[in-house]
Amino acid sequence: MRWPPLAILIAPCLILGLASAESARAFGTVNAAHQSAEHEMITRRALGCDGAPPAAPCLEPATLDELAGVPGKAGAVGYPDLSTNFFKARAHCDNGDQPGGAALVACRDAMEANMRAAVADAAGLLDARGAIRPAQVTLGCVYAFNLKGRAKCNMLQDLGLVLHAAQDFYSHSNWVDATVDVHPAGLGNRLPAAFIGLRTFPKSPPPGLVTGCYSMWGSCGDRINHEGLNKDLGPIGPTAGSPVGPGQTARGNHGANFEHAVEAAAADTRDKLAVLGERLVATYGRTKGTRMLCAVTHDDPARAC
Ligand SMILES: [Zn+2]
């Protein structure tokens, strides 16, 4: 749920860690009020090593906490709701209801820019001999004001921006929704959208794909509205295969829309980590690229990588 004027007041408070309330622009970020830390749970479900598919990269516990967040401290995936990114439609894949789909392309392109930033920031992980630089991989990351610090934290912040937008894509669009008895009609997909897969870059979104108009003031008039289309809220189990739902918005509660949005968002989240690994190898070569992905996914890279 959104309480728009309140959100403007609360968002800066959340940046300072002073408040928790219903301001998240998306799948929820804080575990309070009407939200259940949905971004955190989707990220844990997707990237935690418990239940991860064999051979898929996964995040060790302390690193996962830094990306997903813990009670009382939002992780990198919640950072877009708690910073100036809150106000940017492209950080949440909003406003994709206009002909031509420019807002959806802008959201995809913002994901790509942040993925490229993660690859660039990886350069700081290794010294001139290709070994892990221990001071660059310690945790205790602080995400604030778009500032950069240690290389691993920088990469987690970049990845958090990518994943937040990707997860919102499924919550805010009709990609997974039931195809009947709803307006706008759902597209009935279950798998992640190649449109935001960051392996190809179509100039236009798939036909019929829309996201809702988001207004800070609660109404977009006759446009397809975020309030009517979002599947932002509901309980999500923190490991792969654990229970999901029921959705707690009208659109999410229609059929299995919420459950399908969560599963597609989790699958896409897993794929984004795979894309990062592919890009690191393509950019830095197999030896360094593999070590860099190891540094991002392991809690003690100086020992493990
Ligand atoms: Zn969002």
Side-chain angles (χ1 to χ4, degrees):
M1 298 290 284
R2 288 173 194 254
W3 302 65
L6 187 61
I8 292 174
L9 297 174
I10 287 172
C13 297
L14 287 168
I15 292 168
L16 298 173
L18 298 178
S20 62
E22 52 257 278
S23 74
R25 177 177 177 141
F27 271 132
T29 290
V30 296
N31 198 342
H34 300 286
Q35 299 178 19
S36 304
E38 285 85 352
H39 281 291
E40 175 192 342
M41 293 305 168
I42 290 169
T43 303
R44 291 186 177 282
R45 191 176 182 86
L47 300 182
C49 294
D50 287 348
C58 63
L59 301 192
E60 291 188 342
T63 300
L64 185 59
D65 286 351
E66 298 281 349
L67 181 63
V70 295
K73 183 181 182 231
V77 76
Y79 170 65
D81 276 345
L82 308 175
S83 64
T84 54
N85 292 291
F86 177 85
F87 302 101
K88 298 175 182 172
R90 63 181 180 274
H92 315 269
C93 286
D94 287 328
N95 298 348
D97 61 322
Q98 301 292 70
L104 292 168
V105 173
C107 182
R108 190 271 315 278
D109 290 351
M111 289 185 221
E112 170 64 9
N114 287 310
M115 181 64 80
R116 289 185 181 203
V119 172
D121 285 333
L125 294 169
L126 306 183
D127 65 19
R129 294 177 294 112
I132 298 287
R133 299 168 70 195
Q136 293 298 315
V137 295
T138 55
L139 295 176
C141 302
V142 175
Y143 311 112
F145 307 111
N146 298 325
L147 296 173
K148 292 294 180 81
R150 301 188 295 280
K152 179 168 177 176
C153 291
N154 295 343
M155 292 183 72
L156 291 173
Q157 180 170 298
D158 300 328
L159 192 59
L161 287 160
V162 175
L163 298 182
H164 185 103
Q167 293 171 7
D168 277 357
F169 173 90
Y170 299 98
S171 169
H172 294 184
S173 78
N174 60 341
W175 178 255
V176 301
D177 290 355
T179 57
V180 294
D181 297 333
V182 287
H183 174 77
L187 300 181
N189 293 292
R190 300 294 300 275
L191 297 175
F195 172 67
I196 61 165
L198 306 186
R199 292 187 175 88
T200 62
F201 296 89
K203 286 190 169 62
S204 306
L209 178 67
V210 292
T211 62
C213 171
Y214 177 75
S215 166
M216 209 68 73
W217 311 108
S219 172
C220 290
D222 293 336
R223 292 175 61 179
I224 294 170
N225 206 295
H226 173 86
E227 290 300 326
L229 190 52
N230 85 80
K231 294 161 284 295
D232 282 348
L233 304 177
I236 301 170
T239 54
S242 56
V244 175
Q248 294 173 354
T249 66
R251 186 84 173 195
N253 193 241
H254 184 85
N257 283 350
F258 178 73
E259 291 85 341
H260 292 168
V262 168
E263 293 299 6
D268 195 308
T269 294
R270 268 192 294 277
D271 193 52
K272 291 289 186 291
L273 186 62
V275 169
L276 177 62
E278 293 163 17
R279 298 276 187 100
L280 292 172
V281 168
T283 303
Y284 299 101
R286 182 154 302 281
T287 300
K288 287 185 177 179
T290 302
R291 185 166 293 149
M292 288 167 165
L293 187 66
C294 179
V296 173
T297 55
H298 286 69
D299 287 347
D300 186 1
R303 179 188 55 79
C305 307

